Amino acid sequence: MSRALIDRRRALSIGVAGFGGLLVSGCDSVVRAPAARNFLRSAEALSFGTQRALLSGQRMAREFSPEQMSPVFRSNGSVNPQNPDYVALRDSNFAGYRLVVDGLVGSPQALSLPQLMMMPRRAQITRHDCVEGWSAIGKWAGVPLHEVLNRANILTTARFIVFECFDLKPASGGMAPYYESIDLLDAFHPQTILAYSMNDAPLPVAHGAPLRLRVERQLGYKQAKYIKRITAVASLDGIFGGRGGYWEDVTGYEWYAGI
Ligand SMILES: Nc1nc2c(c(=O)[nH]1)N[C@H]1C(S)=C(S)[C@@H](COP(=O)(O)O)O[C@H]1N2
Ligand SMILES: [Mo]
């Protein structure tokens, strides 16, 4: 039996015996014990029931067959980031890459590409629609975002997931990273994945290597490429321009870009 349970039992039996004062100090020692801290932390993590509700009953984006894949899938926006931190990672074939998962999580993560590739994998052939008026059908494979959020013990206080990218773009007050955000409904959607593969090959630099978001019920600009960090937050206020995404901040594009 774990130390925490033993401590809880002892505290409960002392409580039953009527030693009120001792019960309080018993609780204090439970909270200080490392095992109990983990217990309390997991109790604050999104419950199984909540996660099931977020994962099920949602509309799925259409999926296509291999014959329907576009012969050419153009790249758009940043296609070859030049900032030194990205270039150094790219030149070592992303060996030193770590996906940071932080914010409102019980267990912050720094995941290497091999670690991500060992997690459950999902592949899907979907259509990408850019607001600039082009579409392409491609195959994406990666780890479902909910797997990563669960591994980090996402807390019940989280409402949005923010994706910070490596590439810098012109913004008010200088250069700022490209970034995007989605709510928990999309974050836990079965087709929302962190893709490291495109069309059965490693994700090319032009398409966001080493890791890019696929959130299939929304437009192209939500599909953050070059993901550096994932942060769970309660509000988008005060995050970069506060509108939940680079284009949302700069051009006033809609935050929810449903197709
Ligand atoms: N980091 C980052 N992600 C990004 C962009 C970008 O400039 N930087 N452009 C967005 C836009 S507008 C589109 S249409 C898609 C293009 O993805 P693709 O290059 O794989 O076609 O990436 C999106 N994600
Ligand atoms: Mo786009």
Side-chain angles (χ1 to χ4, degrees):
M1 194 186 296
S2 77
R3 178 82 208 289
L5 284 177
I6 293 168
D7 282 355
R8 262 165 68 84
R9 277 213 168 161
R10 190 186 300 143
L12 287 173
S13 63
I14 292 168
V16 169
F19 293 100
L22 280 179
L23 175 62
V24 171
S25 63
C27 280
D28 280 348
S29 72
V30 166
V31 170
R32 271 195 301 270
R37 294 204 76 99
N38 286 337
F39 171 79
L40 291 177
R41 213 182 258 156
S42 66
E44 292 165 8
L46 273 195
S47 74
F48 182 67
T50 307
Q51 302 209 10
R52 285 297 292 261
L54 288 169
L55 270 164
S56 65
Q58 292 202 58
R59 183 177 64 86
M60 298 288 277
R62 179 164 172 207
E63 294 193 18
F64 297 79
S65 62
E67 309 79 66
Q68 292 171 297
M69 284 166 59
S70 303
V72 176
F73 196 123
R74 61 172 278 192
S75 53
N76 201 31
S78 299
V79 293
N80 191 12
Q82 289 305 312
N83 33 315
D85 54 346
Y86 182 79
V87 168
L89 286 173
R90 186 198 65 197
D91 288 351
S92 63
N93 206 17
F94 302 107
Y97 174 76
R98 296 292 180 276
L99 171 68
V100 173
V101 186
D102 63 2
L104 297 173
V105 296
S107 322
Q109 305 282 311
L111 300 166
S112 67
L113 272 182
Q115 279 179 303
L116 290 162
M117 289 172 182
M118 273 162 48
M119 291 179 70
R121 173 184 171 104
R122 180 186 166 94
Q124 57 206 22
I125 302 175
T126 54
R127 196 185 64 216
H128 176 108
D129 295 307
C130 172
V131 273
E132 292 165 28
W134 59 274
S135 298
I137 296 173
K139 179 174 178 181
W140 306 98
V143 53
L145 179 59
H146 63 86
E147 298 282 352
V148 173
L149 298 178
N150 281 343
R151 180 169 173 143
N153 284 320
I154 181 170
L155 302 182
T156 53
T157 41
R159 290 286 172 274
F160 303 97
I161 307 299
V162 179
F163 304 86
E164 182 183 331
C165 307
F166 280 102
D167 54 320
L168 302 171
K169 312 266 274 191
S172 70
M175 300 297 274
Y178 194 93
Y179 81 102
E180 260 303 340
S181 63
I182 58 177
D183 64 17
L184 291 195
L185 266 182
D186 269 321
F188 277 79
H189 188 276
Q191 289 170 315
T192 298
I193 65 174
L194 298 172
Y196 45 72
S197 159
M198 177 189 190
N199 295 350
D200 294 313
L203 184 65
V205 165
H207 293 283
L211 202 66
R212 66 104 45 94
L213 178 65
R214 291 305 309 173
V215 48
E216 302 293 358
R217 297 179 302 177
Q218 295 201 55
L219 290 170
Y221 61 87
K222 301 297 288 188
Q223 322 295 327
K225 307 197 281 189
Y226 316 111
I227 297 176
K228 175 185 191 171
R229 177 176 169 208
I230 293 179
T231 309
V233 299
S235 160
L236 299 171
D237 292 347
I239 296 183
F240 299 110
R243 289 168 186 248
Y246 173 75
W247 288 115
E248 291 87 327
D249 287 341
V250 170
T251 348
Y253 279 7
E254 292 290 329
W255 174 75
Y256 189 81
I259 296 174

